[in-house]
Amino acid sequence: MAGRRDALLTRDKGQSSVGSRIVVAVVIGVLLGSVFAFFSSAPSPPHFLNHKMASSACESPEQVDALKVDILSAKEKNSELKKQVRDLMEKLRLAEQGKGHAEEQFVVLGESHKAGPFGTVKGLRTNPSVIPDESVNPRLAKILGEVAIYKELIVALANSNVKEMLQLWFTNIKRVGIPNYLVVALDDDIEEFCKSNDVPVYRRDPDQGVDAVGKIGGNHAVSGLKFRILREFLQLGYSVLLSDVDIVYLQNPFDYLYRDSDVESMSDGHNNMTAYGYNDVFDEPSMGWARYAHTMRIWVYNSGFFYIRPTIPSIELLDRVANRLSKDPKSWDQAVFNEELFFPSHPGYDGLHAAKRTMDMYLFMNSKVLFKTVRKDAKLKKLKPVIVHVNYHPDKFARMKAIVEFYANGKQDVLDHFPDGSD
């Protein structure tokens, strides 16, 4: 465990190839050259200022205003050029990542071929995306085209029962500087609340089955709706980072995704074994020599925070979960979500063939990890998570506010008075 923690604290986000570094250097060089050329060719604002100060005191207010406009315009152009550099760098990163996935798909899905030498064979991990179909929901397609960045966005469902937490949720998203997020409003009040706070919002067309639950349903009922609602997002070709509203954002999660699986989810596990899986030995003494049976265990994925790509297995997962929840409204969506994702094919049942990845439990942190382990460990307290999900505690709003104070405002003792669990 100590090695895992030290490795996390010195974590390198990845290594790029020599070719990628050369391409990046060329792009940066060209853009910086453009910026330099722009400012070399244009008269500098300070020169104008000095010239004006040396001129007659009778300069007209119109000339002074014009000078101010020129300075402001130059600053805006500089800011825009910087933004273009950032955007191009991000496009390059995604292009390199997409190129690797495309090569894997070509190798596996192309012509039949012999297996390579021992240790070199690798199966397909990344399923191809579906062809976007805007006819499914043209209105939503237009909204997503305006909100999403590189066909990705955070999506949260909310009704008036979670209004207080929703405000804290989007306030921290804005503070971190995440632009690509959307609230699916389940009632009129939340729709107007989002609009009044300049929060991107989408209100679905009337649907009796969804609207009845959305307006008055509790946490579990509303949570179950997402599997029906998200389907259209995927059909339109968008990857979705599904988020509950009891989550505090501390960094941009899109900087920490691998995007190599159909589903990438945070875990309810609280250590390496429970989060990533372990061999659990079952002891049955009456069996004598065969008393020990080895089993594989892993704690469930959290259905309140997962990244899902627009692939056929992903859409099949949503359909399976939504179908089961509609037939048994009392079932828990998180349990059904994990059963469909993990149970293998067996007599009478065809399992889902979806690729999955468990998120880093210290970066995508649940509240059990924070309150039982991290806050008591001097090294782990220095680690800044990407998000903290207050999923283990009923006093959600109070703990969310304390988490903001601890990580964003540096109040080191603000978490101390909370119990590990719930009273």
Side-chain angles (χ1 to χ4, degrees), residues 28-265:
I28 293 176
V30 171
L31 288 169
L32 290 180
S34 301
V35 174
F36 180 80
F38 170 79
F39 285 107
S40 296
S41 61
S44 64
H47 173 76
F48 271 103
L49 285 173
N50 292 335
H51 175 73
K52 293 296 181 182
M53 290 173 66
S55 299
S56 168
C58 299
E59 293 285 3
S60 69
E62 290 79 7
Q63 289 176 309
V64 174
D65 290 340
L67 177 61
K68 291 180 179 178
V69 170
D70 289 341
I71 295 173
L72 182 60
S73 176
K75 288 181 178 179
E76 289 176 348
K77 289 180 179 178
N78 185 34
S79 176
E80 180 62 27
L81 284 169
K82 289 181 179 179
K83 181 178 182 298
Q84 289 177 12
V85 171
R86 289 196 301 269
D87 288 347
L88 283 170
M89 292 296 293
E90 179 64 13
K91 286 181 179 179
L92 178 64
R93 182 186 68 78
L94 290 174
E96 288 291 327
Q97 187 178 55
K99 177 183 176 184
H101 294 336
E103 288 175 348
E104 290 178 2
Q105 291 169 12
F106 176 79
V107 169
V108 176
L109 300 176
E111 295 181 2
S112 298
H113 52 276
K114 296 179 180 179
F118 179 82
T120 65
V121 176
K122 185 178 290 187
L124 179 65
R125 287 163 174 74
T126 308
N127 286 307
S129 299
V130 298
I131 298 174
D133 181 7
E134 292 193 3
S135 67
V136 169
N137 190 331
R139 185 167 66 89
L140 177 59
K142 184 178 184 223
I143 294 173
L144 296 181
E146 296 170 352
V147 174
I149 296 179
Y150 311 125
K151 306 288 281 188
E152 298 178 319
L153 74 162
I154 299 169
V155 175
L157 278 65
N159 63 13
S160 297
N161 292 334
V162 295
K163 187 174 183 178
E164 196 174 41
M165 282 193 294
L166 176 65
Q167 184 171 24
L168 188 55
W169 179 84
F170 66 64
T171 297
N172 281 282
I173 284 180
K174 290 181 177 182
R175 179 182 57 78
V176 172
I178 306 169
N180 49 328
Y181 69 101
L182 180 70
V183 174
V184 177
L186 299 175
D187 58 41
D188 296 335
D189 184 38
I190 289 298
E191 182 180 14
E192 292 305 316
F193 179 65
C194 288
K195 289 179 179 178
S196 66
N197 284 278
D198 196 26
V199 171
V201 63
Y202 165 63
R203 184 72 186 278
R204 299 179 75 253
D205 293 333
D207 183 321
Q208 185 175 357
V210 172
D211 295 343
V213 177
K215 291 179 180 179
I216 61 174
N219 287 345
H220 284 285
V222 170
S223 183
L225 290 178
K226 60 188 168 225
F227 298 99
R228 290 178 58 181
I229 293 174
L230 287 185
R231 192 185 204 279
E232 289 184 339
F233 287 76
L234 269 58
Q235 286 181 277
L236 292 170
Y238 289 84
S239 295
V240 173
L241 184 57
L242 188 282
S243 173
D244 282 352
V245 296
D246 57 344
I247 291 176
V248 176
Y249 285 77
L250 301 166
Q251 300 187 66
N252 190 330
F254 293 108
D255 294 337
Y256 294 87
L257 297 174
Y258 285 82
R259 301 174 177 86
D260 63 348
S261 305
D262 298 300
V263 177
E264 200 168 334
S265 178

Side-chain angles (χ1 to χ4, degrees), residues 124-127 258-267 275-277 297-302 305-309 311 313-314 317 336-345 349 351-360:
L124 179 65
R125 287 163 174 74
T126 308
N127 286 307
Y258 285 82
R259 301 174 177 86
D260 63 348
S261 305
D262 298 300
V263 177
E264 200 168 334
S265 178
M266 73 172 293
S267 171
Y276 308 133
R297 293 193 64 186
I298 185 171
W299 286 32
V300 296
Y301 282 178
N302 191 288
F305 190 87
F306 60 87
Y307 178 80
I308 186 166
R309 295 180 55 248
T311 65
S314 295
L317 171 64
V336 176
F337 174 71
N338 279 271
E339 288 170 4
E340 293 297 339
L341 200 52
F342 283 94
F343 282 180
S345 298
Y349 176 78
L352 179 72
H353 294 270
K356 49 195 174 288
R357 172 182 284 274
T358 307
M359 291 175 170
D360 189 311

Side-chain angles (χ1 to χ4, degrees), residues 296-337:
M296 304 306 297
R297 293 193 64 186
I298 185 171
W299 286 32
V300 296
Y301 282 178
N302 191 288
S303 63
F305 190 87
F306 60 87
Y307 178 80
I308 186 166
R309 295 180 55 248
T311 65
I312 292 298
S314 295
I315 295 174
E316 183 183 356
L317 171 64
L318 297 181
D319 289 350
R320 283 174 175 242
V321 177
N323 181 55
R324 284 184 56 183
L325 292 176
S326 67
K327 293 178 179 178
D328 184 8
K330 293 183 179 180
S331 57
W332 184 24
D333 70 283
Q334 180 161 292
V336 176
F337 174 71

